[in-house]
Amino acid sequence: MRFTSGPIPRHARPECTMNIYYIRVYGLEDGLQWPLHVHGLVAARDSADHNRNFLFNRTRDNCQILTQEDPHLLLTGPCRAVVIIDPITIEFQLKVRSRTEPEEDELLAFRIFNYPQTYLSKHVIQSSILCKRCMIEFAYAPLVPSVEATVSIEVIDGVWPEHIRGRVIACITTVSEGEMLLLDSRDGMMPISPSTRIIELSRRVVSVDLKGGKLLVSVAPSQIGEVDNNNDDDFVRGESVFEPKRAGKSHNMCDLGFCKIEVTVTWSLLSNLTDEWRAGLKRTDKR
């Protein structure tokens, strides 16, 4: 949300970006067995600032349990759009927690990959990554040119009942058969701040094609314990469609029956270190 409001510098513009759809662990080897208590990190580095942009980041005391039926990492990022100006580096450092001592934690995946693709993809690309003790499926789609969209959802009327779970999904209309999971409360209560009434999403940032693309945000409630909430006819599925903007905010209200929610999308252009460096030189020369 760097360039949402106020004076927007000339070097901020739509850029080639990458949406990450999911990361799945499969093909266990070398004695590993389900379930896995996984901790560690998955991060992306790009030329926007060269820092780690975490997609997954858990400590040993906050492991995610992966099962053969549900082997997907619960992504918490990226925290900003992943820019494909130069090749993107994806870093995996994942471990399986030992039942006894930390020193006995087992390595699950330790790899670094570069993704140079900058072309427009109309479908989700699934890359299989061979690691020493497992396979990792990394699903993504490059977009050009695109803007950053940050999603926020607030309960504005009524109450979200404790016995109702929820899933929040984002889709880009120009990419077929791809969903980005922003939140899955699973068999727990929806994480709603009591002070702000904002639903605390696991991840909030996606990219949207500026020309021809639209962002679809779906909120799907269901009874806690339901295996497939798409087959639950007792609840209304809230859907909001947003046209991308270069800056500013977009709002849409959804009536779920038991409560009303407002979906807000904050738009921003993008920049990289090279353009910011050049802009800094120009300001210095003028002085």
Side-chain angles (χ1 to χ4, degrees):
M1 299 185 289
R2 290 183 62 192
F3 308 116
T4 297
S5 58
I8 298 176
R10 292 183 178 179
H11 61 262
R13 61 171 71 95
E15 294 282 8
C16 305
T17 62
M18 173 190 287
N19 273 332
I20 291 88
Y21 282 78
Y22 65 83
I23 300 174
R24 179 173 71 95
V25 177
Y26 69 103
L28 301 185
E29 296 183 356
D30 195 21
L32 286 178
Q33 295 182 346
W34 306 104
L36 302 176
H37 293 249
V38 176
H39 63 96
L41 64 89
V42 181
R45 292 181 189 266
D46 58 24
S47 56
D49 60 16
H50 298 305
N51 294 327
R52 280 175 173 163
N53 192 352
F54 289 105
L55 311 177
F56 177 88
N57 189 19
R58 283 181 178 251
T59 63
R60 190 177 189 274
D61 296 330
N62 184 34
C63 290
Q64 180 187 344
I65 301 176
L66 299 184
T67 65
Q68 193 166 8
E69 295 74 27
D70 186 8
H72 294 82
L73 297 179
L74 289 176
L75 303 184
T76 55
C79 64
R80 59 162 177 79
V82 179
V83 179
I84 320 178
I85 299 171
D86 300 314
I88 296 172
T89 299
I90 307 294
E91 175 185 4
F92 292 87
Q93 291 190 34
L94 299 174
K95 290 185 177 182
V96 177
R97 188 178 68 184
S98 166
R99 296 181 180 180
T100 55
E101 299 298 327
E103 293 78 11
E104 298 182 9
D105 287 356
E106 300 181 74
L107 186 65
L108 177 64
F110 185 87
R111 293 294 298 271
I112 295 177
F113 298 89
N114 289 325
Y115 287 89
Q117 290 91 339
T118 57
Y119 55 85
L120 174 64
S121 176
K122 295 184 178 180
H123 64 277
V124 177
I125 301 171
Q126 299 165 333
S127 293
S128 293
I129 301 167
L130 176 63
C131 299
K132 186 175 182 180
R133 308 191 70 187
C134 70
M135 295 287 292
I136 292 180
E137 186 174 66
F138 184 81
Y140 67 99
L143 304 175
V144 327
S146 47
V147 291
E148 179 187 88
T150 303
V151 180
S152 172
I153 302 176
E154 178 184 358
V155 178
I156 58 174
D157 186 32
V159 177
W160 192 294
E162 294 184 1
H163 66 280
I164 297 179
R165 61 174 284 212
R167 299 176 79 239
V168 180
I169 296 167
C171 300
I172 310 302
T173 57
T174 51
V175 180
S176 62
E177 300 179 356
E179 295 183 341
M180 289 170 281
L181 185 64
L182 305 186
L183 173 67
D184 188 351
S185 66
R186 299 194 168 186
D187 284 337
M189 295 173 53
M190 283 289 279
I192 301 175
S193 170
S195 58
T196 64
R197 308 192 76 190
I198 292 176
I199 297 176
E200 299 172 354
L201 302 178
S202 301
R203 56 185 298 202
R204 303 194 302 150
V205 176
V206 299
S207 298
V208 185
D209 306 69
L210 187 59
K211 296 182 179 180
K214 294 181 182 180
L215 171 64
L216 172 64
V217 178
S218 300
V219 180
S222 66
Q223 292 282 356
I224 287 181
E226 286 288 337
V227 177
D228 186 356
N229 63 328
N230 292 324
N231 295 328
D232 197 322
D233 297 327
D234 296 332
F235 299 99
V236 176
R237 185 186 182 106
E239 294 189 345
S240 302
V241 180
F242 298 94
E243 294 273 358
K245 299 180 179 179
R246 298 172 68 90
K249 294 186 178 184
S250 303
H251 305 273
N252 191 44
M253 192 274 289
C254 295
D255 190 346
L256 302 179
F258 53 85
C259 74
K260 294 180 181 179
I261 59 173
E262 184 178 54
V263 182
T264 301
V265 178
T266 304
W267 305 97
S268 176
L269 295 172
L270 304 163
S271 68
N272 62 79
L273 284 177
T274 301
D275 288 341
E276 292 184 12
W277 176 73
R278 289 173 178 170
L281 286 180
K282 290 181 180 179
R283 287 195 295 269
T284 302
D285 291 341
K286 289 181 180 179
R287 292 174 186 171

